[in-house]
Amino acid sequence: MAGSKQEQLFTKFKEQAEAISARVYRVHDSSAAGRQLENIIKELNIKKIAAAKSGLVADCLKALNTQDVAVHTSDLRRHAEDAELGLSEVDMAIAETGTLAQDSTALDQRLVSTLPPVHVALVRIDRQVDKFVDAVDYFNEQDLMPGYIAFISGPSRTADIERVLTIGVHGPEQLHIIFVDQAGGETCE
Amino acid sequence: MSDKQQIKHNIEKALANENLRGALGRFGNDYVGARERAYTGKDFEELRDQIAAVKGDAADRMEELAGRFTESAQARGAKVFRARTAQDAKDYIKNLAQEKGATKIVKSKSMATEEIHLNEYLGRQGLDSVETDLGEWILQLCGQKPSHMVMPAIHMTRDEVADIFSKETTQELSADIPQLVELARKQLRKKFLAADIGISGANIAVAETGTLVIVTNEGNARLTTTLPPVHVAVVGLEKLVDEFDGVKPIIEALPRSATGQKITSYVTMITGPTPAAYPDGTVQEKELHIILLDNGRTEMQADPVFKEALQCIRCASCLNVCPVFQLLGGHVYGHIYTGGIGTILTAFFNGFQEAGELQNLCLGCERCKRFCPGKIDLPKLIRELRSRVVEKGGLPGGQKFVLEKVLPNRKLFHRLIKAGQLGQKPFQKGARIRHLPMFLAGLTEGRSLPVIADKAFRDQARNLSVPEGPSKESTPDSKEKVGFFAGCLTDFVYPQLGQAAHKVLKHLNKEMVFPAGQTCCGVPAVLMGVRESAVHLAQQNIEAFEQAGVDAVVTCCPSCAQALKERYMELMETDPAWHERAKALAGKVQHITAYVADKSGNGSSLRLKQTGGRVTYHDSCHMKGCLGITEEPRQLLAAAGLELAEMDGSDLCCGFGGSYSVKFPSISSQILDKKLHSMEAANAPTVALDCPGCKLQISGGLDSRGKELPVKHTVEILAEKI
Ligand code: SF4
């Protein structure tokens, strides 16, 4: 993808995602992602993390100073219940709507993005698409339709009482999105 | 209580509920703007064409798609059950729970499960089935039903919610919304973690891949479909689309039309079972059961007219823009599906008789039609429902007599009006001109009576003068012969509109003629479901204008214009010869204002007197919504040197709706209140509009409130400035 196109998409994504209450960061590589995560942990005083495994997640965690925080990457059904932060890598970012898209067939991916009150999502900068329907096409073109595709746009929300918008109902009340420029390793194709 | 009494009772209750009106009113006002913004950069017309094509095709091949879906989903490991009736679906779930030894169920929002009253049923079987959508949970706790398809508890206040939650948790809670939401999160989180079965609905079911698409904001559907080891999805057959590609236009339109969001927080696409954690700590494939629910849908599919309703994507925009819904909310409809589409669905899911009373609530303003992303002609479906109910059950005596006997007999009808016998037998007791024809009727609450003119326009029209000789700047069509269609209100209540039209047309060097064989346009009969009378009236009018040999046909009334342009062809659908004649007439018909704008270069060649002044303009429903005319009157008023002071919501209904103001005077009058309020706020000394019905409603309303604000048809204003 041409650099300028990527920049345009990122600008659009950030604008759209922030408009629906997500926070968007951009870092150079996975260790910078680890430092960004550390900032979030400090700011929110997080003590327990549940992380769904991926190459980028592992690299990011490596860069994290984990003395004060317990990080769990297995037995997540139990740990995600009371973890204060869930960490995962998503497959794609959709600029038009500020949406993240992920093949969430693996249970862990769903647990860390639904149960903890804070979800931090890592996404490779070269995994941006422009339109929502582009992402639909992407999944449709795969040989086998994934079992569970998740599209996530901002934190969970409701307007069910008097139509007053309230952020954070059943899902996370905070969504942090960290774009990584040079993620290294495999892209998660 | 009979259905009728029940509805009347519900209406009174709703009108007395200030909270409801506040919440719905605020929402109705915000909704249109939010929706508009969400559609920025999207072509709504194109999207809805695509949805209509995808869903229309799916409706045509419903059975085939159900088969294809079943195969695809089974190939991916899901169990698919076809439930013919509501009971079949409920039994299946009950048996499944028994077989699994399950007692705890969590549910995410699903209209299909509401439709079959699943929760109550499971409760009676001793199962603990909890709604997890915040609005639905509130309703479950207090034993109420949803009043809106998308925002189920929109009728409740934070204080009521605080009371309900306080009772549930036996603690004193304040009416602080974030705190109430937090409490719901905590309480329901326990339920999610402990549940044996999760039940969801689906917004789309893809036959090609066996995929279910679920659209939510709260995240409860994600938990429902992730945590419990058994997932049951209850899916109405109308949710099927053939190819995965068909998801695209629906997913683009649904959030935008439903809540004015570009996309909801979550969109979930599930294909076959996925891993879940079992109570013993292992992670294995879950069980996925998909119930394809019929419950009246194949019957709807088999109906050539009502099949269209299967294109619905349940976005509820038709409720959000409905002036009646805004006032009354959903509970008045008495069933799960509310508003216009709810009336149609109720007919098939609960029976025509019940829906028969509900269809009366429709004003016929046709606003919903412009907004529907499924491209459903709801007003047409409601008219059809009405005529079938009437065919079966008949009309009340007085109405029957007027619509079936008096109205089609032009001479009798006109003689009756002229003789001022309007209030006498066989018409209903009370008000004078109550049911003759429905147009002339709106008396009672909130509006002064229309006065029947001393001399009807048809009697004045005998002496209409003809332009003298060719004008100086004669154009090829300047000698055009223009037939004037009066319609009942212009003819008998506002003949001055006919005179004004004549003056303006003459000024344009047109010859205006009044074919005396013309009669009521037939809209009242169409709206009341008396098709035979409507056909009869249409034929009389077609003949009258054919004999007059006119080049163009104009009318001051947008409802009449629409009848002549569209309805007649619809009425003659089964009769090719008459259909041709209706079509020929339709091609000539224009609303007078559009005609004049067209022929005068938006008023420039009229050389109107420029005396200055301000005016505010009301867009009549049938003028803007059906004929699509909004700019022409504004251009003409500007050409008359008037400054336009736009009112808020210029296109909101005035509440006239033909006979409506008679059937439901209190609703009509409250809709009118709203209109008058924004009209006055515009602070102009004159109100302009283009519909005699609106003129009657609005000027009557102003009059009965002791206000002196002249209400004029555009053509009257033009005539004054010549
Ligand atoms: S009828 Fe149209 S507007 Fe109404 S809910 Fe269905 S799709 Fe939406």
Side-chain angles (χ1 to χ4, degrees), chain A residues 41 46-49 64-71 84:
Chain A
I41 289 170
I46 302 286
K47 296 281 178 251
K48 182 171 180 178
I49 294 180
L64 183 70
N65 178 358
T66 53
Q67 268 166 9
D68 301 331
V69 48
V71 179
E84 294 147 322

Side-chain angles (χ1 to χ4, degrees), chain A residues 96 137 148 153 169-171, chain B residues 42 132 158 185 225 248 265:
Chain A
E96 170 188 43
D137 283 336
Y148 200 113
S153 311
V169 206
H170 297 300
Chain B
K42 297 282 163 188
T132 61
R158 62 188 84 187
R185 177 188 172 100
T225 58
K248 292 197 281 191
S265 298

